Amino acid sequence: MNKPLKEKVIVVSGGTKGVGKTISEEFAKAGAKVVIGGRDEDAARKSIKIINTYGSEAIFVHTDLEKVEDCKKLFDEAANKFGKIDGFFNYAGVTPISPLDTCDEETFNQVMNVNFRACFFCCQQAIKYMRMNGGGSIVFTGSAHAWGGEKDRAAYACSKGVLITLMEHIAHNYASEMIRCNYLTLGWTPTEGEVALRKQQGETEAQLRKRAANTIPMGRMLERHDYVEALIYLMSDSSAMMTGSTFRITAGEYI
């Protein structure tokens, strides 16, 4: 079986939920050793059992992304266990209701701390270890909200917009060290967080999927598996010359 990520070590923030959980397992299936950062240890243990059946290894590092020291610990423990770091997928994020005219300071701070500040300091650590190994690949989870966003997601839109700047900064300034960074815009996906948020607003998952299907040009929400091949490519040597790119897997939906 082809193993495009054989012997690579990849860190996934938010690796216990949604696309992060799925891709942690898929990275392992493609040959990688995986470091799962998150707070749900039970979910991580279930993933690790699956990963072991693929003949690969994984560890869980309890990570509170509102704490900079936890961001550093995630990468330190990854390097201590596996000796190097080749990839970092920044999936973790929060998406609360946050209109510009009513967003409170606590909500704003949480969104920026988790979605931007944590990514900033995770990248600091990723770069430190990647340069020891001759390079690596960083991928940010992007959103179409970054280009303005919907009215009730102002803080979230800003957090995703600033990640484009960080991505371009890394791509431009660290290319000479073979450290690359790309921004993958995910589409409307019924993750645990999205479904829970809509339920708070009085909408069931079935209603959400029906409404989304009427909005998205390709007629359905995206599922977690829709991103797998792109993310494996971005972490593999096949994309060694790809950096500074912003691209979409959104079924034609752009906010």
Side-chain angles (χ1 to χ4, degrees):
M1 181 184 294
N2 182 34
K3 299 277 189 178
L5 302 180
K6 185 177 181 180
E7 301 305 323
K8 292 193 179 296
V9 177
I10 301 176
V11 177
V12 181
S13 71
T16 65
K17 304 287 185 187
V19 176
K21 182 179 186 300
T22 297
I23 201 61
S24 292
E25 296 165 9
E26 293 293 335
F27 283 158
K29 187 186 290 187
K33 296 178 174 66
V34 182
V35 181
I36 301 171
R39 293 182 293 181
D40 189 340
E41 184 170 358
D42 288 341
R45 296 299 172 199
K46 291 176 182 176
S47 286
I48 290 170
K49 286 183 179 180
I50 293 170
I51 286 168
N52 290 341
T53 68
Y54 300 145
S56 190
E57 298 179 71
I59 62 169
F60 168 68
V61 180
H62 186 277
T63 311
D64 180 349
L65 290 171
E66 292 198 71
K67 298 177 180 177
V68 172
E69 59 267 30
D70 273 22
C71 298
K72 294 180 178 180
K73 179 184 71 173
L74 174 60
F75 288 82
D76 288 342
E77 293 197 18
N80 287 340
K81 172 64 177 178
F82 295 119
K84 63 172 185 169
I85 295 172
D86 300 291
F88 169 45
F89 177 44
N90 184 78
Y91 176 68
V94 293
T95 322
I97 301 297
S98 54
L100 178 60
D101 53 349
T102 60
C103 181
D104 58 59
E105 184 178 1
E106 181 180 1
T107 301
F108 177 86
N109 287 341
Q110 182 198 24
V111 171
M112 296 306 291
N113 287 347
V114 175
N115 294 6
F116 172 60
R117 189 182 71 172
C119 182
F120 183 98
F121 285 103
C122 282
C123 287
Q124 182 183 81
Q125 288 291 93
I127 288 168
K128 179 178 80 171
Y129 286 110
M130 287 176 179
R131 61 169 37 128
M132 295 177 185
N133 193 44
S137 175
I138 298 170
V139 179
F140 293 165
T141 299
S143 169
H145 286 274
W147 288 269
E150 294 181 348
K151 189 174 183 179
D152 64 354
R153 296 292 192 280
Y156 178 73
C158 291
S159 73
K160 289 300 184 179
V162 75
L163 286 182
I164 296 175
T165 300
L166 179 60
M167 177 274 292
E168 292 181 342
H169 175 86
I170 293 170
H172 178 74
N173 290 289
Y174 295 90
S176 62
E177 298 183 71
M178 301 307 293
I179 296 170
R180 51 206 177 83
C181 189
N182 294 286
Y183 184 99
L184 172 58
T185 305
L186 303 191
W188 199 354
T189 311
T191 61
E192 297 96 330
E194 175 69 8
V195 171
L197 179 64
R198 300 302 175 177
K199 284 183 177 178
Q200 290 176 10
Q201 297 174 302
E203 186 176 37
T204 67
E205 181 176 349
Q207 291 169 330
L208 168 65
R209 285 178 175 275
K210 183 176 180 179
R211 177 166 65 87
N214 291 328
T215 301
I216 297 171
M218 296 183 80
R220 69 165 175 85
M221 299 185 83
L222 287 99
E223 305 298 340
R224 301 174 194 188
H225 64 263
D226 288 315
Y227 309 111
V228 169
E229 293 299 326
L231 284 164
I232 289 175
Y233 169 75
L234 288 169
M235 289 296 172
S236 76
D237 293 338
S238 295
S239 60
M241 292 292 104
M242 182 177 177
T243 193
S245 296
T246 302
F247 64 103
R248 297 179 167 101
I249 300 179
T250 63
E253 189 259 343
Y254 301 112
I255 298 300

